Amino acid sequence: MRIERIELRQIHLPYVAPFETSGWRETHSRSILVRLEADGAVGWAEAPVGAGPWYNEETAATAWVMLRDILAPMLLKADLQEPSDVDRAFTAVRGNRMARAGLEFAAWDLFGRIRGQSLSQMLGGTHDRVSVGVSIGIQPDIDTLLELVGAYLAAGYQRVKLKIKPGWDIEPTRAVRETWPNLKLQVDANSIYTLDHAEHLAQLDAFDLLLIEQPLGHDDILDHAKLQRTLRTPICLDESIVSPEHARWALELQACGVINIKACRVGGLAAARQIHDMAQAAGIPVWCGGMLETGLGRASNVALASLPNFALPGDISASNRYFERDIVMQPFALNPDSTLSVPTSPGSGVELDMAFLDDITVERLALSAETRR
Ligand code: OSB
Ligand code: MG
């Protein structure tokens, strides 16, 4: 199959509240949406890039240029038999995995709609609901944090992740643990510490955490292996695992006890599934991370999380945790058991609210086989 037309859209959609980590703060989604057309069918997807290169090296601006000048023209020349052929078509491309993932996700949606199969079915999903939690950004003070955690628990979330950084780590975690002794609790440092903080981080062992996510360098594996030997709490890698090869290195070095899988971070769902399978074979549980996606990206996260080795709750909260109004006709709602239901319709299983999408689109571009550069 040949892709006949590719459309890119830059959106600008405010979050319900700014999201702050150890290294950045964002107030809006700047995702790039991708639309593929082939054989009379249409596939849509989201590349959840941010405003600046704070999580990884990509930004909304760089991903736009990569998609426009390199990746979309390459895809228009490729012959696709399977969604996983997209990854192969980009073998010569270094990095830029979120931009690549936008096209790869859209191909999964397209093939699913053509074949009448849901994304979860195509991937080999085994669950019809997936356990989810909520990721809570850095707050101005502990009282505000406790109030926010209480509100999310009242809304039905049964697992909480706290963003931490030096000066906002031991005390907020202690306060949440003392208030809710049985809560499933974990923390995420987004690469802010070094091995010099090993003794400091060991204080977190007292709080019975599910895991400590990405304490050290965004591209480090070796020091995480050293740190893991000094901690009782499992380390979970996020930023460092950008490909199945990186997962293999981390597993061989015993750098983590858990892996956070984000398909957008590793170039797409085919690579994400490979990491899932490798971790399963190694006896290492995985869970599905998030990038504050709209309902479109959320749909592929939920489908991915329906695979069997997604053993811990994902950062895949309901639509209303992120946006006042989502861009899909079927916003994700939290079930009373702290799960989201896995869509069953073909492809991503969600339809876009096109009128609303047009309102929040700030830039559009179409490429077709004839106009390719
Ligand atoms: O490190 O997991 C992260 C959001 C944006 C970038 C990085 C991360 C996050 C989150 C939020 O923690 C997860 C979500 O609810 O989508
Ligand atoms: Mg993380």
Side-chain angles (χ1 to χ4, degrees):
M1 182 176 78
R2 291 263 174 180
I3 304 296
E4 292 146 23
R5 188 170 180 279
I6 301 177
E7 188 181 318
L8 307 176
R9 285 176 182 244
Q10 173 69 68
I11 66 164
H12 199 258
L13 182 63
Y15 300 131
V16 289
F19 189 75
E20 187 173 326
T21 74
S22 62
W24 72 92
R25 183 173 192 270
E26 286 196 349
T27 56
H28 287 69
S29 166
R30 324 257 171 165
S31 286
I32 295 174
L33 302 198
V34 174
R35 179 185 186 272
L36 301 182
E37 219 179 295
D39 295 352
V42 171
W44 277 98
E46 172 174 5
V49 281
W54 322 129
Y55 170 76
N56 70 1
E57 80 288 358
E58 297 181 84
T59 74
T62 66
W64 184 267
V65 170
M66 284 301 305
L67 283 160
R68 182 191 68 195
D69 294 351
I70 310 280
L71 301 171
M74 284 176 91
L75 190 63
L76 286 169
K77 290 183 199 130
D79 181 27
L80 304 179
Q81 305 304 321
E82 295 291 332
S84 53
D85 290 339
V86 175
D87 212 10
R88 267 186 282 280
F90 296 143
T91 303
V93 177
R94 303 289 170 263
N96 296 283
R97 292 180 175 92
M98 287 203 192
R100 278 154 52 186
L103 293 168
E104 204 248 18
F105 294 167
W108 282 94
D109 186 38
L110 181 72
F111 275 92
R113 286 173 195 268
I114 291 172
R115 295 175 180 170
Q117 283 191 315
S118 74
L119 188 49
S120 170
Q121 262 180 311
M122 286 193 284
L123 291 168
T126 52
H127 296 107
D128 57 7
R129 286 168 308 145
V130 301
S131 285
V132 303
V134 60
S135 172
I136 301 182
I138 289 167
Q139 300 301 314
D141 53 63
I142 288 180
D143 285 345
T144 309
L145 174 66
L146 294 178
E147 206 174 301
L148 196 55
V149 173
Y152 284 126
L153 298 184
Y157 292 102
Q158 292 170 11
R159 185 282 264 158
V160 165
K161 164 169 133 181
L162 306 179
K163 291 290 191 182
I164 58 167
K165 66 175 183 180
W168 181 263
D169 45 20
I170 311 304
E171 292 318 316
T173 308
R174 185 198 314 280
V176 171
R177 174 50 82 219
E178 283 178 355
T179 312
W180 294 282
N182 300 317
L183 175 64
K184 287 183 193 162
L185 184 62
Q186 61 195 56
V187 295
D188 185 357
N190 289 106
S191 308
I192 197 71
Y193 299 100
T194 67
L195 271 185
D196 292 340
H197 292 100
E199 276 183 35
H200 176 72
L201 291 169
Q203 297 175 80
L204 293 168
D205 275 340
F207 306 133
D208 192 23
L209 304 178
L210 289 169
L211 54 91
I212 299 174
E213 186 174 341
Q214 197 72 33
L216 308 181
H218 71 94
D219 54 358
D220 170 79
I221 291 176
L222 185 63
D223 282 355
H224 280 104
K226 292 183 183 170
L227 180 65
Q228 181 67 89
R229 286 180 208 122
T230 73
L231 294 177
R232 208 175 56 226
T233 311
I235 288 177
C236 170
L237 291 178
D238 173 357
E239 283 90 330
S240 296
I241 307 297
V242 297
S243 73
E245 280 293 89
H246 289 73
R248 183 172 64 78
W249 303 334
L251 293 171
E252 278 193 32
L253 283 169
Q254 298 183 295
C256 59
V258 181
I259 296 177
N260 164 334
I261 300 186
K262 293 178 182 171
C264 62
R265 189 190 66 220
V266 300
L269 289 158
R273 183 168 56 181
Q274 257 179 287
I275 295 171
H276 164 273
D277 294 350
M278 291 164 60
Q280 189 169 30
I284 294 287
V286 303
W287 57 283
C288 185
M291 293 291 294
L292 312 174
E293 290 90 345
T294 71
L296 187 57
R298 195 161 311 288
S300 65
N301 287 345
V302 168
L304 179 65
S306 72
L307 270 63
N309 193 37
F310 281 81
L312 294 168
D315 277 350
I316 330 174
S317 312
S319 293
N320 66 3
R321 178 257 173 273
Y322 305 97
F323 306 105
E324 218 159 273
R325 179 174 172 185
D326 205 336
I327 65 169
V328 295
M329 303 303 282
Q330 309 87 349
F332 285 88
L334 191 69
N335 298 321
D337 59 349
S338 196
T339 64
L340 295 187
S341 299
V342 182
T344 53
S345 310
S348 70
V350 292
E351 307 303 323
L352 290 163
D353 179 343
M354 289 308 301
F356 183 50
L357 179 56
D358 285 345
D359 283 348
I360 61 162
T361 298
V362 294
E363 200 169 350
R364 281 173 81 149
L365 178 78
L367 294 97
S368 58
E370 299 80 61
T371 63
R372 73 184 171 219
R373 300 163 184 229

